[in-house]
Amino acid sequence: MPDIPTALFFTGFTFLLAGLVKGVIGLGLPTVAVGLLSIVMLPAQAASLLIVPSLVTNIWQLAAGPRFWNTARRLWPMMAGIAAGTWAGSGLMTGDTADEATIALGFALIVYAALGLAAVRPSVPAKHENWLSPVIGAGTGLVTAATGVFVIPAVPYLQALGLQKDDLVQALGLSFTVSTIALALTLAQEGVFAASTAAASLLALMPALAGMALGQWVRGRVSERAFRLCFFVGLLMLGGHLAAGAFT
């Protein structure tokens, strides 16, 4: 365990970097934060520390989108599934399979990013959304409960809906906001997210916001093609970081 000044610097840098990634590609704050902070603390503690930065930055991302109510009406079955799946997976992050779940998530991200970089564009017919959305949501909730990361299978599914850049970013913000709230309630129920942890999480908000502001400035100045490239390269890097645990 590093000394307090080193730990504070490392935590601040982690959330600055995580916010930057999120600002550019619309996701990644939990993945980067939990992955890096797990070097110096338990994954459940790292997940608790990211609650406030994740919630605020996701609400910011959600509010910045163009059509909130349309997005919410379309995706509410998925959001309900996320809440139910996270509740059903309570205890997974602190259980014996937490490391294996994180490694599996890393490999799943690598596969998805490789497909995206290869220009494979999956699609979900509108007639299947009504039943598929809650299933995807429940799966995302279970992964959230096990790893503290909200990406799989939510991101591939939202990508498959064929949303435009800004609509996709807003849909991600909605999904991640619901996931963060569900995760916070689950960790609080398990006694991991307490008042002292919430205060520490609040302190991590400033570097996360600074990083996200910088990332959004960068994203606002790239083309659709460059945005997609950043999106999938970012996923590939995040997945590689998580999967590296299989070789250590």
Side-chain angles (χ1 to χ4, degrees), residues 89-202:
S90 178
L92 289 177
M93 192 184 302
T94 54
D96 296 334
T97 61
D99 290 341
E100 289 79 2
T102 300
I103 291 170
L105 175 61
F107 283 113
L109 288 177
I110 291 172
V111 171
Y112 174 60
L115 291 174
L117 290 171
V120 175
R121 297 296 299 271
S123 63
V124 174
K127 63 181 180 180
H128 294 316
E129 280 192 49
N130 286 339
W131 69 266
L132 190 54
S133 283
V135 172
I136 294 295
T140 300
L142 287 172
V143 173
T144 297
T147 69
V149 178
F150 322 137
V151 178
I152 295 294
V155 171
Y157 177 71
L158 293 174
Q159 175 70 18
L161 296 181
L163 301 171
Q164 297 299 314
K165 180 174 75 171
D166 291 338
D167 291 325
L168 174 60
V169 171
Q170 185 171 51
L172 290 169
L174 176 60
S175 176
F176 297 161
T177 297
V178 173
S179 294
T180 302
I181 294 172
L183 178 62
L185 293 174
T186 299
L187 292 174
Q189 181 181 356
E190 296 172 8
V192 180
F193 186 60
S196 58
T197 310
S201 182
L202 182 62

Side-chain angles (χ1 to χ4, degrees), residues 45-60:
Q45 294 173 325
S48 295
L49 195 57
L50 71 85
I51 292 296
V52 174
S54 179
L55 182 61
V56 173
T57 55
N58 282 317
I59 291 176
W60 177 4

Side-chain angles (χ1 to χ4, degrees), residues 72-95:
R73 281 194 297 267
R74 181 175 182 179
L75 297 177
W76 76 262
M78 179 182 171
M79 302 305 108
I82 288 173
T86 305
W87 175 80
S90 178
L92 289 177
M93 192 184 302
T94 54

